[in-house]
Structures are given as structure tokens and as C-alpha cells.
Amino acid sequence: MSTSEIGTNVIFKKQLGLNYEIDQKYVGLKMKENNILSFNFRIPGALKDDVESYFKRFKLGEPILVDIGGTGDIRCEFKGISPVLKNKNEFDQYFLSATLQEDKEYDPIEEEKCETCSGCGFH
């Protein structure tokens, strides 16, 4: 894959190298207020237990990194997981949502590197 191509997988990264990689065709993303990210999974039964058990390993507020298509890690905190719901209209499809909050902490060291910055968005 060249450096300008975006991949098709989403990788969730827990501390100690416990990662979970899934095709983005199963994942929807909604951005909400206060940097809340809702990752909505529409998955076949074969993936249901894997996705659910991965996110059940997290404690509230635990750090998690997310890499969407190889674009780089997004630092987040785990906020919770929804119950697994069966889609009534599909034979073997389930819905699950994992809620994360993006870490947007101010880093004064980075701010000092840009003499004219007043929130330029590059750091």
C-alpha cells in the first residue's frame, strides 16, 4: 500500500498490544459533542462474540488507540459498550456500539513551538 492510500480496516489498540482489527465495512462512526466517538458495529453472528468480548475487557476511562485505515492513531478513553442487539430484518446481523472520547488535552510544550499560534489546529 502506498503512503497516500487509506486502508480498509479499523484497528482498536488496548495497552499491552491487545489489538482488534476489523473491516471498516462493519463499522460506522458518529462524532458527537465533547469529542465523543460512537463506533457502531453491524456485524454477522460470526464476529459478534469477538467484538463484544474485546470491548468488555476495557474499564471505564481506560486509554484506547484507534487507527482508521492506516491514517494514524487517535488517542481516546473508553466510555462504554452497548448491549448486543439482533437485527430483526436480517437473518444473521447484530448491532453493537462502543463509545470513546477523543483525548484533546492541551499540550503547552507544542503550543510554545508555534510563535504565532492562536489555535491553528496543527497541534
Side-chain angles (χ1 to χ4, degrees), residues 28-86:
L29 173 62
K30 286 188 180 180
M31 180 76 154
K32 300 180 179 182
E33 291 182 30
N34 298 321
N35 301 318
I36 298 291
L37 302 172
S38 178
F39 287 88
N40 303 308
F41 297 87
R42 291 195 187 284
I43 49 180
L47 295 176
K48 175 181 69 82
D49 291 339
D50 290 344
V51 173
E52 182 181 29
S53 65
Y54 179 77
F55 285 105
K56 281 190 170 183
R57 292 179 180 149
F58 284 89
K59 295 177 183 161
L60 191 62
E62 185 175 343
I64 181 172
L65 300 175
V66 183
D67 183 353
I68 302 171
T71 59
D73 291 335
I74 301 169
R75 293 175 174 253
C76 299
E77 287 184 3
F78 181 74
K79 294 298 179 185
I81 184 173
S82 73
V84 176
L85 301 174
K86 178 144 179 30

Side-chain angles (χ1 to χ4, degrees), residues 104 107 110-111 113-114 116-123:
K104 293 267 191 176
D107 185 357
E110 286 295 317
E111 185 71 19
K113 293 179 183 177
C114 184
T116 61
C117 187
S118 59
C120 67
F122 288 103
H123 32 258

